[in-house]
Amino acid sequence: MEVLQNAGYAAYLVGGAVRDLLLGRTPSDLDVATSARPEDVRSLFARTLDTGIRHGTVSVWSAGCWIEVTTFRAEGPYGDGRRPDFVRFVDDVEADLARRDFTINAMALDLDGRLVDPFDGRGDLARRLLRAVGDPVARFREDGLRLVRAVRFSVQLDLTCDPATEAALAETADAIRPIALERIGRELERLSHAPWHAHLQTLASTPLWRRRGEPLAWLEQGFSWLASQGRFSLAPPAGWPSVALWFVGVDNGPLRARRFAEALAYGKDAARRIERAVQLAQAWARGVDAASPEMLYEAGRASAEMAARMISFLARGDVFEVARWKRAIRAQPLWDRSDLALPADDLIAMGLWGKEIGECQKSLVRQILRGEIQNQPDALRREVMARRKRGDDHGPG
């Protein structure tokens, strides 16, 4: 901002960073709005990226991070329900703020600490109020993702929608339908780091999930089940364990959790971990000993640790249950066949070959998990030799 100002341009910190600073929080990212045109911004800084040049945005590397610098602009209609058809650069920061979604995000702060707040966003923060800038119906129809952002901000910042904004949410709920699941996924990922447990009735009753259809529609049942479990005073684990928690009460929850995570572009590895964690948590909710060595082995360590955090939340921090899961995970004798203390090369040296090796390893794993033998080289060798002496051509078991 100092570089831009010294070059004769207006520059302001804008958006969520200003909101977070007013709330006493550390901003997660920084966005700057300026009167400088994109080509001027590029000429002033040594390292830049044209991240949204058509809409006036240039990313600038400064002080060890990337900062999005966007030229003051007014916007045309949103023909695709995502981006404006065209933008028009302006010289007035207030005109730029008028295009933003909510008053709490429509503030600007200059280097001297002067706040530009034409829509009383600061007042709305003090009143714990979420209010759209201008006509809320128009704001939501411009970009249906703002519907999900409204839910996320309400939960994240513990805000109440003002009546006109709340009415517009219901009226324009269909605007979520064309929104890409990847974009919705990023908002829900942010929601997973918020205190969503205090807003379960709101999350269960919003029409957005059903209007968008599967896989989002499954969230309605998941949030409703959590709400039916009574009040949770313990904060939920942030991130993927929270996403997994949303599916514990869903029919066929493990499979649907995986499909949900894949559809929202969370990645196949994360999707599989979430699926297995939901499987453990559902088994625990049914009264099954989900912390048994066999079930932990099938889930894998990452999913088991995720499930332990989920169960700590569902059990409302029950110290005995939390300790039981910690002990089970710590004492787990092995998590993968590769953890066997007798490698495949040793089995080959003992005369096993082909499919015998895999069958032998499976049997050894079963015996270790049942506590029948210990995962030690000598103990495993003795077991293999004993089986072979008894004429078992397929290894032990």
Side-chain angles (χ1 to χ4, degrees), residues 57 106 133 170 295 382 391:
T57 301
V133 172
M295 291 197 70
R382 285 195 298 270

Side-chain angles (χ1 to χ4, degrees), residues 294-368:
E294 291 90 345
M295 291 197 70
L296 294 182
Y297 179 85
E298 288 300 320
R301 181 161 200 151
S303 293
E305 290 175 344
M306 185 186 299
R309 296 176 66 193
M310 295 161 63
I311 288 164
S312 175
F313 172 77
L314 292 171
R316 292 167 173 81
D318 182 318
V319 292
F320 297 106
E321 191 63 15
V322 171
R324 187 173 79 87
W325 275 82
K326 285 184 177 179
R327 284 196 306 272
I329 290 173
R330 188 168 55 246
Q332 178 69 2
L334 75 169
W335 293 99
D336 188 82
R337 195 187 300 185
S338 63
D339 295 334
L340 282 169
L342 195 64
D345 286 348
D346 286 15
L347 295 177
I348 293 171
M350 296 174 71
L352 277 72
W353 59 280
K355 292 182 179 179
E356 291 180 344
I357 296 171
E359 291 299 323
C360 177
Q361 289 176 323
K362 286 181 184 178
S363 182
L364 291 175
V365 166
R366 284 196 302 270
Q367 291 177 282
I368 292 168

